[in-house]
Amino acid sequence: MDIARRGAYRRTAFFVLALAALLAVARPGMPSFVVVGVFFLYVAIAAVWIAGQYAQSLGGRQEVVPAWLWGLGLLAAAGLITLWFVKHWSGTLLGGLFLIYLLSGSAVAAWRQRPGLPRRLGLGLTVIAVLLTVAGSALLWLTSWRLAAGIVLALGVLLFLPLALTIGAEQTINTVRTPYALILGFLGLLLLGATGYLGVRISHSSLVLWVLGAIAVLVVAMASATQADVVLIMSLIAAMGVTPRPAGEPGHLEVQGRQRVLVALGDSFMSGEGASIYYQGTDEADPDRGDQCRRSPTAWAVLAARSPAFDGLDFLACSGARTWNVLPQPPADPPADVTLTRKGVPAAVPDRSAQTQLQQYQQQKGFTPAMVVLSVGGNDAGFSTIGQMCLAPGSCDEKADLWTTSLAQVERNLRATYVAVDDSFPGVPVAIVPYPDPIQLTRGCNQLALSRREKEFLHDYVGQLNGVITRTAGEFGFHVVDDMQRALASEHLQLCDPRNDGRPGLNFVGLRSVRGGAEERYNPRNWSHSSLHPNERGHAAMSRTFQGWLARQPSPLPPRVAISALARDRQQAALTAQSSKTLTQAAQEARAEAPLCQLGYGDDQGTCRPQGTDWTLKQIGHLLLARWGLLAFFATVLGAWLVAVGFFTWRRRSTEDSP
């Protein structure tokens, strides 16, 4: 074995070890100095690895993994993947997939420099990639065949397009002369600039530049005759696996013996979803270790509980909770399309994963509640699916009726929950907390890629939901923290408010992974749960709003306010009508009254969630085919490829001409 080959193998071995070390330390709770140190070590070793590959490519040759080692690597990858399916050992699936990815890169490098390849192979692969991508987009737009569309798109974008880029680049570099290569590079720069300019003008958002820039960088890496794309992608994945060390529960969450305890019930807007740090055991993908309630020490209720008005906090709110999750017991006869809990909701500890928030409260002893704050109804109203639809291409306001016509169902769910809260806290003030208005309706906004109509829809829908919440709370004499609707607006923390200097109190796209095994931490599906939730700045403003509201109330705060005759009559009529019906019967009547969809978490096409998801996927297909999305994508790919080919051709010719 010659020196060059030994050096290539040695660099590859060191890179694999460095990546394994990075993935090992890129885990929740790892000290930041350790992660940063290992990351810089990984970058240094990866740079040497890529530089070695690039130096070899200048001579038209690159050392690759020998066939026998390639076969052993595939066997090892298959063994790791099998271990995950059989034993569910954390990291084995990720390790197996990484080995396959690395070995496939080496196989492509070997194929790339293989003599005698058909001259038009790169062009043929490109045609196949384009046809598959167009076909997958059409399936996504025009049919409901999600799996077929995903497979076809994956074959086009993840298999044939990378092959076309790398094979085509090598064939072009070997045949094009330097002057023509420089012209190609210049044309590529013009194409990239024009695509970026038009993308921003059409979308009215600078976020498009980040997307197109990321695509361009990845294309250059693929065309570079190296495995730089492996380094880039694995760096991103490792970075997403890091989450801050969880917070331990402070003293004011110990309620035993306390006499003025604030009880916090509800969903993510109460629990603190959207923050950077959560309490131990509340951000766990593994149900044996905890839940995904994501209770944060920076949640507004935690901050408010530190005021002199309270001496403790019973923190039961849970991200993802619906009205059903607050009831004193899970419904014995739930609607068929309602899932009472998603993974980790509303677990407080592993052995109580099936308990509702009021069940947990009723089992606690030895403290006196001074006030209850409750924020619930957003998940019943489809907040998560609406957010998904508005983050997708298209105008989500087109489906406004899907949600606004279903608010009567939310009102019924709220009424049932308010009855339970009223019974559970006799003589205790209950304050219902509406949702803050998230977006300022201004012209032009670089903080989010939403049209004015979409912003108006979100603004109006939150207002309508708050109206339902306030009206239903009035039937029970509950206090309503009306000021909370303007908590972000009053401190210029709404999205699109130019006075917050690009630092709003709400995450538009919040990327943060979860604690748990490698397969959970590095799963992209677990990275966006913080989106469209208040961050630390937002919760601080909400806490100040609540404390300002509380300071204006009479002391002591009466348990209930006077109920108007209209509200009392409305409540009695609704409760009497429901008293003789099972929940299933009530749900069936609600379904008949709301022909568009039924609010629920089931996958039945009669529910709003799958209809919203189908609309989202069709809009993605529509963007790709009918709104020039594919044209922008392929223009960016072509521009970046031309720049890469021009540069690498010039460098290779310069090396060949040097003495």
Side-chain angles (χ1 to χ4, degrees), residues 352-386:
R352 298 198 320 199
S353 58
Q355 289 188 328
T356 69
Q357 294 176 30
L358 285 180
Q359 278 182 315
Q360 295 173 42
Y361 168 75
Q362 290 167 355
Q363 290 185 1
Q364 296 170 341
K365 306 293 182 182
F367 70 92
T368 303
M371 176 183 286
V372 177
V373 286
L374 171 61
S375 172
V376 74
N379 291 311
D380 294 71
F383 268 9
S384 61
T385 307
I386 292 172

Side-chain angles (χ1 to χ4, degrees), residues 307-347:
S307 69
F310 309 104
D311 62 0
L313 173 67
D314 191 16
F315 202 11
L316 301 175
C318 186
S319 179
R322 300 178 65 205
T323 51
W324 307 96
N325 301 117
V326 180
L327 294 174
Q329 61 183 14
D333 185 19
D337 60 349
V338 170
T339 298
L340 294 179
T341 60
R342 64 180 175 87
K343 187 176 181 181
V345 177

Side-chain angles (χ1 to χ4, degrees), residues 75 93 137 264 415 417 471:
L75 287 175
L93 177 61
S137 302
R415 186 174 289 112
T417 299
R471 183 172 64 252

Side-chain angles (χ1 to χ4, degrees), residues 267-324:
D267 55 24
S268 55
F269 275 69
M270 184 71 74
S271 72
E273 173 80 89
S276 300
I277 299 175
Y278 301 109
Y279 286 122
Q280 180 78 39
T282 68
D283 186 33
E284 295 285 352
D286 184 353
D288 293 331
R289 293 179 175 270
D291 55 57
Q292 295 188 55
C293 285
R294 298 195 181 96
R295 301 185 181 108
S296 173
T298 57
W300 74 261
V302 177
L303 302 178
R306 295 172 181 163
S307 69
F310 309 104
D311 62 0
L313 173 67
D314 191 16
F315 202 11
L316 301 175
C318 186
S319 179
R322 300 178 65 205
T323 51
W324 307 96

Side-chain angles (χ1 to χ4, degrees), residues 151-176:
I151 291 173
V152 174
L153 277 173
L155 287 174
V157 176
L158 302 181
L159 178 60
F160 283 96
L161 184 59
L163 286 174
L165 292 173
T166 187
I167 298 296
E170 185 65 26
Q171 292 184 319
T172 305
I173 290 171
N174 287 333
T175 56
V176 173

Side-chain angles (χ1 to χ4, degrees), residues 477-488:
F478 292 156
H479 302 273
V480 178
V481 188
D482 292 305
D483 300 354
M484 196 63 77
Q485 299 180 62
R486 290 192 50 78
L488 300 180

Side-chain angles (χ1 to χ4, degrees), residues 46-62:
V48 173
W49 185 53
I50 296 302
Q53 293 179 350
Y54 180 62
Q56 288 184 332
S57 72
L58 292 176
R61 188 72 183 170
Q62 180 181 333

